[in-house]
């Protein structure tokens, strides 16, 4: 049995399938998707459909909530707790939701009322984090100023630049494996070897294509720390690095 975490897919369905082919997943394996499987790329609906299908077939696929899953769920249901001073649908559109709307052949906000509710239930089922015996899997990270860093919080899918604030005593001897902030894939193995901080960022900017060191989808074996990289093979990729996860 192997246990893998996969970084931010962002609708890059063909790239995601190519990475799974590298991993040669069986039903004995565990796969953890670290959020942001949707938006920006050309195949968000296909990614969701594939994960739901794998789950129905008995494969151990677990999805962790990213900020993009949170944004889409808010756009569908305005009763979800919310803290920003923007209209929810517009905020989602500004952050890559346009391509996901296109996947569903939707053109305006009211079209979301026609969405098959299995997608909404899927978004709601995503987990804030997962604890394994040797690591915590989360989209972004934790707020180490909080008394209980594991209490469900938006920090888990929004926080950035927190490594210097990590209190290792709160991690019970485990490390954090996360995504959310695109990073240079070329330095990833060196960072893992050094482990300056008890955290590994495996978001290697799959959906982006113009800056050196990104444009890959990454998986990590959470036990051996072996890295698997798949260059983006989807035709549609972001032309600019937006500085957002």
């Amino acid at each position: 049995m192997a246990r893998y975490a996969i970084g931010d897919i962002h609708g890059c369905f063909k790239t995601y399938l190519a990475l799974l082919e590298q991993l040669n997943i069986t039903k004995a394996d565990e796969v953890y998707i670290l959020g942001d499987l949707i938006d920006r790329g050309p195949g968000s609906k296909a990614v969701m459909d594939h994960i739901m299908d794998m789950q129905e077939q008995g494969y151990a696929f677990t999805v962790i909530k990213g900020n993009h899953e949170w944004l889409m769920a808010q756009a569908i249901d305005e009763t979800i707790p919310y803290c920003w001073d923007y209209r929810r649908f517009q905020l989602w559109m500004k952050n890559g939701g346009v391509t996901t709307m296109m996947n569903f052949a939707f053109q305006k906000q009211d079209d979301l009322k026609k969405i098959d509710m299995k997608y909404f239930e899927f978004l709601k089922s995503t987990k804030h984090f997962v604890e394994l015996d040797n690591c915590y899997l989360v989209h972004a990270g934790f707020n180490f100023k909080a008394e209980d860093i594991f209490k469900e919080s938006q920090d888990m899918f929004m926080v950035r630049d927190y490594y210097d604030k990590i209190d290792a005593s709160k991690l019970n001897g485990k490390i954090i494996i996360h995504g959310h902030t695109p990073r240079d894939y070329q330095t990833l193995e060196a960072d893992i070897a050094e482990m300056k901080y008890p955290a590994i960022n495996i978001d290697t900017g799959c959906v982006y294509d113009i800056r050196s060191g990104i444009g890959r989808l990454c998986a990590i074996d959470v036990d051996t720390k072996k890295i698997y990289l798949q260059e983006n093979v989807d035709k549609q990729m972001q032309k600019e690095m937006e500085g957002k996860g």
Side-chain angles (χ1 to χ4, degrees):
M1 182 195 84
R3 302 188 295 180
Y4 301 105
I6 296 177
D8 303 38
I9 301 167
H10 277 303
C12 297
F13 180 56
K14 294 178 182 178
T15 308
Y16 159 72
L17 291 183
L19 180 63
L20 289 184
E21 188 172 345
Q22 277 196 57
L23 301 179
N24 193 24
I25 299 298
T26 71
K27 289 184 178 179
D29 299 326
E30 297 174 8
V31 178
Y32 298 90
I33 311 292
L34 299 185
D36 283 8
L37 55 149
I38 62 169
D39 295 348
R40 296 198 174 117
S44 296
K45 181 178 180 295
V47 173
M48 287 191 281
D49 285 335
H50 184 271
I51 293 172
M52 287 188 284
D53 183 57
M54 294 295 277
Q55 290 172 334
E56 289 174 2
Q57 290 183 49
Y59 287 84
F61 274 55
T62 300
V63 182
I64 292 165
K65 188 187 306 296
N67 50 304
H68 287 263
E69 288 74 50
W70 183 63
L71 287 169
M72 183 177 179
Q74 286 185 333
I76 295 170
D77 184 355
E78 294 188 353
T79 66
I80 294 174
Y82 180 66
C83 67
W84 291 336
D85 295 328
Y86 296 92
R87 293 185 61 183
R88 300 173 184 219
F89 180 74
Q90 291 177 344
L91 184 62
W92 182 41
M93 292 300 96
K94 286 177 61 179
N95 284 276
V98 172
T99 55
T100 304
M101 286 284 287
M102 292 171 61
N103 287 172
F104 284 94
F106 294 163
Q107 297 181 345
K108 57 186 184 298
Q109 184 174 4
D110 283 349
D111 289 341
L112 283 171
K113 297 175 182 177
K114 300 181 293 186
I115 196 169
D116 189 322
M117 290 308 291
K118 73 177 183 180
Y119 295 101
F120 182 54
E121 293 302 321
F122 174 75
L123 294 171
K124 288 199 303 180
S125 73
T126 57
K127 300 180 181 300
H128 276 67
F129 74 98
V130 170
E131 179 181 2
L132 300 181
D133 58 300
N134 61 347
C135 64
Y136 296 100
L137 304 172
V138 66
H139 177 61
F142 300 100
N143 175 12
F144 282 90
K145 293 181 180 179
E147 183 176 349
D148 180 1
I149 67 170
F150 303 115
K151 184 177 180 180
E152 289 190 1
S153 163
Q154 292 174 12
D155 291 295
M156 293 178 181
F157 45 85
M158 295 298 297
V159 70
R160 300 186 196 272
D161 302 324
Y162 62 92
Y163 280 17
D164 287 330
K165 303 179 182 69
I166 292 177
D167 181 351
S169 68
K170 295 184 176 182
L171 294 176
N172 305 311
K174 303 179 183 183
I175 65 170
I176 302 166
I177 298 177
H178 70 96
H180 186 51
T181 301
R183 52 84 45 84
D184 185 343
Y185 78 91
Q186 296 171 335
T187 63
L188 180 51
E189 290 184 345
D191 289 349
I192 292 172
E194 180 184 12
M195 284 305 290
K196 180 179 179 181
Y197 300 97
I200 302 172
N201 175 9
I202 64 165
D203 178 5
T204 48
C206 175
V207 76
Y208 301 107
D209 73 338
I210 67 165
R211 290 191 178 184
S212 62
I214 57 174
R216 269 74 173 172
L217 182 59
C218 180
I220 185 172
D221 183 315
V222 303
D223 296 302
T224 67
K225 306 302 183 293
K226 181 178 179 179
I227 293 297
Y228 300 82
L229 291 166
Q230 174 60 55
E231 186 173 350
N232 192 307
V233 295
D234 289 80
K235 293 181 179 179
Q236 177 184 338
M237 295 184 287
Q238 292 287 296
K239 298 301 181 184
E240 295 182 1
M241 184 73 166
E242 301 174 23
K244 299 177 181 179

